């Protein structure tokens, strides 16, 4: 809630131009140094990732006191936008399309989870916000996982009893205050799979062992 996203144009010599998505800390609300630190860590996490199904981070900086991240612009829609349409029309996505989308995101998460630092130590990266809003479907058929803001926030909140992320996509132990873990991302993707196949939101009260 502390950020705004703009469509911007990167310009260079010789008439070079490229459209980018620009995430900027908002002037509205109480923007603190912690928010700036979180945005910076989001950029630092994203710039380490190089995968066909993860949105590229292109730049990070501060302009006139406002922190920003420039990232790859995806021409298309979020899965959340698509699901709103399928629910309004009563026409769910074909099963083979759902399987392709979820399999692609699972592959992106496997890549993220297996990242190591320069010394070969596991980074233990967790996305923390695997939801339809953060799965982009491009017009040319690409599928991209975006927004690692909660990943940075989850590290800050670890051990403090606070919960980061959208409750419907969080496993029970995280809702009870346990830290995010890579298993949390797998759980969230499972909820996305359920919602996309069922063409309706996952019941927030539903938990393993309860009837849906």
């Amino acid at each position: 809630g502390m950020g705004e996203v703009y469509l911007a144009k990167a310009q260079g010599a010789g008439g070079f131009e490229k459209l980018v998505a620009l995430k900027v800390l908002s002037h509205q609300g109480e923007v603190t140094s912690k928010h700036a630190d979180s945005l910076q860590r989001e950029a630092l996490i994203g710039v380490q990732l190089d995968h066909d199904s993860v949105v590229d981070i292109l730049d990070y900086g501060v302009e006139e006191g406002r922190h920003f991240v420039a990232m790859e612009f995806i021409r298309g829609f979020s899965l959340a936008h698509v699901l709103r349409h399928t629910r309004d029309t009563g026409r769910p996505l074909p099963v083979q399309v759902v399987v392709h989308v979820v399999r692609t995101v699972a592959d992106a998460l496997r890549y993220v989870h297996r990242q190591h630092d320069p010394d070969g130590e596991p980074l233990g990266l967790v996305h923390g916000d695997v939801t339809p809003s953060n799965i982009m479907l491009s017009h040319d058929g690409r599928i991209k996982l975006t927004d690692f803001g909660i990943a940075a926030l989850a590290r800050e909140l670890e051990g403090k009893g606070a919960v980061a992320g959208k409750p419907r996509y969080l496993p029970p132990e995280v809702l009870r205050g346990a830290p995010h873990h890579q298993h949390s991302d797998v759980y969230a993707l499972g909820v996305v799979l359920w919602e996309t196949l069922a063409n309706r939101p996952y019941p927030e009260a539903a938990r393993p062992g309860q009837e849906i």
Side-chain angles (χ1 to χ4, degrees):
M2 289 296 112
E4 301 168 338
V5 180
Y6 299 93
L7 178 61
K9 184 182 294 183
Q11 296 178 317
F16 172 86
E17 293 184 344
K18 181 180 180 65
L19 291 177
V20 300
L22 197 65
K23 186 175 184 179
V24 185
L25 284 188
S26 173
H27 277 318
Q28 302 176 357
E30 184 182 356
V31 177
T32 67
S33 60
K34 286 187 178 180
H35 295 120
D37 290 345
S38 292
L39 187 67
Q40 182 181 33
R41 280 193 290 278
E42 178 183 353
L44 292 176
I45 289 172
V47 78
Q48 299 177 68
L49 305 176
D50 183 16
H51 189 276
D52 288 343
S53 298
V54 176
V55 168
D56 290 331
I57 296 296
L58 306 174
D59 195 12
Y60 166 80
V62 182
E63 183 70 27
E64 298 181 356
R66 300 188 72 184
H67 296 253
F68 70 87
V69 171
M71 62 188 74
E72 177 185 7
F73 171 60
I74 306 299
R75 296 179 183 272
F77 302 97
S78 70
L79 180 59
H81 181 99
V82 173
L83 290 179
R84 283 194 294 271
H85 176 73
T86 61
R87 289 165 187 167
D88 288 344
T89 61
R91 298 173 60 186
L93 291 172
V95 172
Q96 60 268 31
V97 173
V98 176
V99 170
H100 175 62
V101 169
V102 172
R103 179 182 292 168
T104 301
V105 177
D107 185 62
L109 285 173
R110 178 175 62 179
Y111 167 81
V112 170
H113 291 166
R114 292 182 175 182
Q115 288 305 292
H116 293 73
D117 66 17
D119 296 324
E121 293 296 321
L123 289 174
L125 291 181
V126 180
H127 186 281
D129 198 20
V130 180
T131 67
S133 298
N134 292 328
I135 298 172
M136 300 299 299
L137 311 178
S138 74
H139 292 317
D140 59 6
R142 292 176 298 152
I143 300 163
K144 294 270 190 173
L145 181 64
T146 187
D147 199 344
F148 284 78
I150 296 297
L153 186 58
R155 290 183 176 184
E156 292 180 359
L157 297 179
E158 186 169 344
K160 297 182 180 180
V163 177
K166 300 177 181 68
R168 191 162 74 233
Y169 302 92
L170 296 177
E173 63 274 15
V174 173
L175 289 173
R176 291 193 293 265
H180 280 277
H181 188 274
Q182 292 176 345
H183 297 154
S184 306
D185 288 341
V186 178
Y187 178 95
L189 186 58
V191 174
V192 173
L193 173 62
W194 191 97
E195 291 187 327
T196 311
L197 288 173
N199 204 34
R200 59 189 175 96
Y202 185 73
E204 292 195 30
R207 289 292 177 263
Q210 294 181 331
E211 184 177 351
I212 297 175

